[in-house]
Amino acid sequence: MSATGKPVPEVLPDARPYWEAAQRGELMIQRCRGTGKAFLYPRRWSPYDYSPDPAWEKASGRGTLYSYSIVYQPPYAAFKDDCPYVLAIVELEEGPRMMANILNCPPESVRIGMALKLCFETRGSGFRIPQFEPA
Amino acid sequence: MADGIRDKVAILGMGCSQFGERWDMGAEELMEEAFSEALADAGIETREIGAAWLGSCMDEVNIGKSATPASLTLRLDNIPVTRVENYCATGTEAFRGAVYAVAAGACDIALAIGVEKLKDTGYGGLPGLEIGTLPPLWWPNLSAPGVFAQVASAYMSRYKVPRDVLKRALAEISAKSHANGAKNPKAHLRKPVSCDTIMASPMIAEPLGLFDCCGVSDGSAAAIVTTPEIAKSLGKHPDNMVTVKALQLALSNGSEGGYNDWDGSYILTTRKAAQRSYAEAGIGKPREELSMFEVHDCFSITELVTMEDLGLSADGGAIKDVMDGFYNADGKIPCQIDGGLKCFGHPIGASGIRMVYEMYLQLQGRAGERQLKDPRYGLTHNLGGFPHQNVVGISIVGRYR
């Protein structure tokens, strides 16, 4: 947990490229060598055909809003000051969908299908977490 | 192809504690409350129980990791006792263990008991759960109401439902459960609530308000099962016997959350478990044959989509059925006739067995003020975890003949 109480992810070996990229301000995804499909979350085999060692690539950081809700009651006290905030599913340009918060815009202005771009939330002593904001 | 467990196992006795804020009792006393009722109902002695399953998921303070709390508390006869946990399907999982043991011929009489004391956790919803190290990668600021509210968003988008129309149907769902729960002496919340009150309640996660969320409670429930033959030998009459018709479990394999083949407007695992349950029970037309059901209404939207996932309402048709009163106490297939999680709260280990308890009472004509006319089949449904990563347990019980 960070000083603010918000959780900071534990960086495990399989996901190290993902988190190291995030600290550089980039979003890394993986692509199955057998099927050619991109996917999240990071792992050492493809969830499609179990082929080993999926390739890493830098995502464009562009996506659209697939679905969302607005959270008014925080799951933990550490998120209280963020409320109300948008809990979204973002469809990346490369195909995979990921859960993220939509930052830097009023929750009531969020619309399904809206264009989004990558941004980062900083937690603890400077740890950066990929999030999204209106493009 | 296995022929399933239909009519191989009979329910010999059941018990259920009072649900609610049980500050005056520990988990042991709650278990004893449910067990003593089940034992008296079964008409047997404790020593006749050959194996037991304890369902408990969150209650580390009171229960801990092993099954000894059940064995010690109930003074079981040094029999095998197994503790199980599987998210919110934990109670059904315990029931499944006991039923499978009898169906397999591993023992003659088995016990399933579930218990949880959640009020002690001091948390408004469910307490924090150890979820491993991977989920934080893609669950930013996730709340349980938040992810289930996403199902509402996806449902509105898929079926082009205006927010006001969905909100009204969700209010009808909660109002119906409160009306039913008001007639149940064992329910935690026993007060009718109007749709207007529900729709005006504070927002938790858009579009889910306070009354779209189920309660938090302490409770325990127990089931004693055996074969129909042994039940008969113990004096139970076949005309009044309740047997297990199906027990199925389906878990997410990652396709919903990680591989993007799913639009978020339904629960895939419920559909899978329901198909297998109907096949096992020999039910071809659930909308015609099912008499009543209890679903996992952690949130009102969950109940709405489950009506469709179980094949009782057509896809996109649950709102019309809800507004028509199809699932009300006086409707064609009453849903949550005992008040549901909405009024009982959700002591996780107990919930699945609590649901079967109501079906059992109804099938025997013992449900008092809530009694339905001539029910034949009852279905119970638990959804554990999150829409994109979950465990679904379904049981179908019915009259032996």
Side-chain angles (χ1 to χ4, degrees), chain A residues 6 9-10 12 15 18-19 39-43 47-48 66-76 79 82 85 87-89 95-97 99-101 112 123 131, chain B residues 123 127-129 133-134 136-147 149-151 153-154 157 202-207 256-264 388:
Chain A
K6 279 193 180 185
E10 186 180 349
L12 296 174
Y18 179 89
W19 289 121
F39 64 88
L40 281 170
Y41 52 90
R43 67 203 98 176
Y48 294 105
Y66 187 76
S67 185
Y68 73 103
S69 62
I70 303 172
V71 176
Y72 287 82
Q73 292 291 324
Y76 302 102
F79 298 134
D82 293 348
Y85 62 82
L87 180 64
I89 295 173
R97 294 181 199 142
M99 208 178 277
N101 301 131
I112 285 171
R123 293 187 186 176
Q131 298 279 29
Chain B
Y123 191 68
L129 186 67
T133 50
L134 289 172
L137 287 170
W138 49 305
W139 291 9
N141 294 15
L142 177 154
S143 74
V147 281
Q150 285 180 338
V151 176
S153 308
S157 174
M203 196 54 71
I204 303 296
E206 170 66 29
E256 304 102 302
Y259 312 170
N260 309 311
D261 301 326
W262 171 72
D263 75 356
H388 57 282

Side-chain angles (χ1 to χ4, degrees), chain B residues 324-340:
Chain B
D324 287 349
F326 189 81
Y327 298 117
N328 289 353
D330 59 357
K332 175 71 167 55
I333 316 176
C335 179
Q336 325 293 59
I337 188 63
D338 74 349

Side-chain angles (χ1 to χ4, degrees), chain B residues 102-131:
Chain B
V102 168
C107 67
D108 288 335
I109 299 177
L111 166 72
I113 187 161
V115 66
E116 215 94 39
K117 269 182 72 67
L118 292 182
K119 299 304 291 188
D120 289 358
T121 64
Y123 191 68
L126 294 175
L129 186 67
E130 293 298 327
I131 50 178

Side-chain angles (χ1 to χ4, degrees), chain B residues 6 17 26 29 48 67 120 122 165 183 187 192 199 209 234 247 265 272 280 301 309 329 379 381 383 388 399:
Chain B
R6 176 166 40 145
S17 78
E29 291 153 301
E48 295 178 76
D120 289 358
V165 171
K183 295 179 178 175
M199 290 176 73
L234 292 169
L247 261 177
S265 69
K272 300 274 188 183
E280 187 168 41
I301 183 65
D309 295 338
L379 179 148
H381 161 270
L383 167 64
H388 57 282
R399 291 189 181 176

